[in-house]
């Protein structure tokens, strides 16, 4: 878990460093933007960080597995569109760590209720580990940026 937190911290620091050009003055404080992202006076907010780990029940049927993961992705999109899910992504599988969710909610109980709607949890393919996290409210802008850099699915 320490490794995952360090990677996220390094990624956030790298993104912040890239956002400023050498010698340029830092951007002016934007109170409206901070408020829209849920940030406090320091631009920070509360999140719940969830590590998805391999669960007790491996879904083996090809069609059932395909449907489960399609439902998992649909659930991720729904929660992101509701601005409950700030970030999600797969992990490398080391020590059973398969993915992460970062929820923009106040409590672990709220995150548990949201995670309980996911087919990979419902089927037992994965289990969730919960941690509170206090970080940059700027993370809330990721989904809006990502939708602009993701090519539309071919039809």
């Amino acid at each position: 878990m320490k490794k995952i937190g360090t990677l996220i911290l390094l990624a956030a620091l790298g993104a912040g460093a890239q956002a400023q050009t050498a010698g340029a003055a830092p951007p002016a404080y934007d109170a409206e933007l901070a408020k829209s992202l849920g940030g406090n006076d320091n631009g920070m907010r509360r999140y719940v960080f969830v590590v998805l780990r391999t669960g007790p029940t491996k879904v083996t049927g090809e069609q059932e597995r395909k449907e489960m993961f399609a439902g998992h992705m649909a659930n991720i999109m729904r929660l992101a569109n509701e601005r409950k899910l700030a970030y999600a992504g797969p992990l490398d599988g080391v020590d059973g760590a398969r993915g992460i969710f970062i929820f923009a909610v106040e409590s672990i109980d709220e995150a548990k209720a949201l995670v309980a709607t996911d087919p990979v949890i419902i089927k037992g393919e994965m289990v969730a580990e919960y941690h509170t996290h206090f970080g940059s409210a700027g993370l809330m802008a990721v989904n809006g940026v990502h939708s602009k850099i993701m090519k539309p699915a071919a039809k």
Side-chain angles (χ1 to χ4, degrees):
M1 187 60 202
K2 192 174 190 179
K3 231 187 271 187
I4 294 167
T6 301
L7 290 174
I8 290 172
L9 176 61
L10 290 173
L13 290 173
Q18 289 175 347
Q20 288 186 352
T21 56
Y29 173 70
D30 186 334
E32 210 171 290
L33 178 60
K35 183 179 179 182
S36 75
L37 299 174
N40 65 11
D41 288 345
N42 294 317
M44 306 288 277
R45 69 168 295 150
R46 181 174 312 283
Y47 297 99
V48 174
F49 185 91
V50 179
V51 179
L52 298 174
R53 296 193 177 278
T54 299
T57 309
K58 182 168 179 68
V59 175
T60 57
E62 186 177 336
Q63 186 61 32
E64 183 181 8
R65 192 165 184 78
K66 184 178 176 180
E67 289 171 6
M68 175 183 66
F69 279 106
H72 173 64
M73 295 307 297
N75 196 53
I76 287 170
M77 295 304 295
R78 177 184 64 83
L79 293 169
N81 289 336
E82 291 174 3
R83 295 184 52 85
K84 298 284 188 189
L85 184 63
Y87 181 85
L91 292 174
D92 56 15
V94 173
D95 297 328
R98 303 213 8 222
I100 63 170
F101 290 148
I102 301 177
F103 286 104
V105 297
E106 291 293 317
S107 71
I108 287 177
D109 286 341
E110 288 176 89
K112 284 181 176 181
L114 297 171
V115 170
T117 67
D118 197 292
V120 300
I121 298 295
I122 294 166
K123 299 254 184 202
E125 175 79 21
M126 297 183 201
V127 294
E129 174 185 295
Y130 301 86
H131 305 273
T132 57
H133 174 67
F134 200 67
S136 173
L139 185 58
M140 294 302 295
V142 167
N143 288 322
V145 171
H146 185 74
S147 66
K148 294 176 183 174
I149 61 172
M150 180 177 67
K151 285 186 179 181
K155 293 189 179 196

